[in-house]
Amino acid sequence: MSTPTVPTTHTAPTPGSAPSDGPAPAETPAVHLRGLRRVFGTRAVLDGVDLDIARGEFVALLGASGTGKTTLLRILGALDRSDAGTVLVPQVRTVVFQEPRLVPSQRVLANVTVGLPRGAATRETGLKALAEVGLERHADAWPATLSGGEAQRVALARALVREPQLLLLDEPFAALDALTRLRMQDLVGDLVRRHRPAVLLVTHDVDEAVRLADRVAVLRDGKLVRDERVAVEHPRDPADPAFAELRRGLLADLGVH
């Protein structure tokens, strides 16, 4: 009788600190997955996934509905467990979901700083985060008065105010109209370049993935069938032949011809 595999989950060393063994901190990835499995009933939604994300690197994860993209993200965010494999993640990680998930009974600034120590320094930090997303004048507004794009910007400020080492984005633009979506993509790209967390974006939108990410991975049948660096210079234009070629390949991987 075989011995069952026991999953291992632990956090990476804080940037600047030296691990007890292994490579130097600059060489240690922010995310390190080896043999990750997650089983629901008899189905392995994740079946031996290997993935590294470097500090400051932006990875987009594509896949059809039900392929385990959000499950993988939830495991990285400690919102779900793994059944086998090694999961190495940073200590400080935050998630932005498709819905902003703001607390309706608290004003915008209180939503941004929720869970942080109270005081003048925290208020100043929260206001700075709101300024980064263009909402400093909405600090005292109620969530119900915000547009969809504004509410999602508050959720992004709430995630970044904690200076995460890993930022997890679970289709955060899916509920927005096309123009707001493009503006939010530009904002996220700018903020990520400024704060330099490792990023995992789960999305169904191939153009969004190619437009934003340093690498694009495709999940199918529980495994990564593609993990490719995006060799298209910024600003990325869908009319660029290299953009279009990568888009065609990703769509083929997703079963769209």
Side-chain angles (χ1 to χ4, degrees):
M1 183 175 179
S2 60
T3 303
T5 303
V6 179
T8 302
T9 304
H10 55 291
T11 55
T14 302
S17 66
S20 58
D21 54 15
E27 300 172 0
T28 303
V31 173
H32 177 76
L33 304 180
R34 286 297 179 271
L36 175 64
R37 281 177 56 84
R38 183 68 172 101
V39 180
F40 294 99
T42 59
R43 179 180 171 227
V45 174
L46 301 173
D47 189 13
V49 172
D50 296 340
L51 177 67
D52 287 340
I53 304 177
R55 291 170 184 159
E57 187 174 32
F58 195 131
V59 175
L61 182 63
L62 293 163
S65 297
T67 55
K69 302 185 304 300
T70 293
T71 297
L72 191 152
L73 179 143
R74 287 175 60 82
I75 290 171
L76 294 181
L79 301 174
D80 196 359
R81 63 178 178 84
S82 59
D83 291 311
T86 298
V87 181
L88 175 70
V89 290
Q91 296 174 345
V92 184
R93 50 202 187 274
T94 54
V95 186
V96 179
F97 297 96
Q98 182 174 334
E99 309 83 20
R101 301 192 180 188
L102 303 182
V103 180
S105 60
Q106 295 192 12
R107 296 181 189 268
V108 163
L109 180 59
N111 267 280
V112 170
T113 59
V114 64
L116 297 179
R118 293 186 178 183
T122 296
R123 177 178 173 81
E124 183 179 347
T125 300
L127 289 172
K128 181 180 177 182
L130 283 172
E132 282 195 300
V133 299
L135 291 177
E136 61 272 29
R137 296 183 180 179
H138 291 69
D140 294 324
W142 296 102
T145 67
L146 302 177
S147 68
E150 289 170 340
Q152 200 64 312
R153 279 190 276 163
V154 173
L156 185 59
R158 179 179 59 194
L160 290 174
V161 78
R162 288 156 176 79
E163 290 295 340
Q165 297 158 302
L166 173 61
L167 177 63
L168 301 166
L169 304 172
D170 190 8
E171 300 195 64
F173 318 125
L176 304 176
D177 64 80
L179 182 57
T180 303
R181 186 183 183 112
L182 288 172
R183 288 172 175 165
M184 283 295 296
Q185 289 173 3
D186 288 340
L187 176 62
V188 165
D190 178 61
L191 290 172
V192 165
R193 284 188 290 272
R194 191 179 308 166
H195 288 265
R196 302 298 294 165
V199 182
L200 180 70
L201 166 68
V202 165
T203 180
H204 283 94
D205 189 329
V206 171
D207 283 1
E208 179 174 278
V210 177
R211 190 166 186 254
L212 288 175
D214 300 312
R215 282 166 44 215
V216 180
V218 177
L219 189 62
R220 188 176 69 213
D221 299 328
K223 299 180 183 296
L224 291 181
V225 296
R226 181 189 290 253
D227 185 348
E228 181 172 344
R229 184 157 296 280
V230 180
V232 183
E233 293 186 6
H234 289 281
R236 291 174 178 163
D237 183 352
D240 185 319
F243 189 115
E245 182 180 359
L246 179 55
R247 183 179 187 275
R248 282 194 297 271
L250 292 167
L251 287 171
D253 287 341
L254 295 167
V256 180
H257 301 283

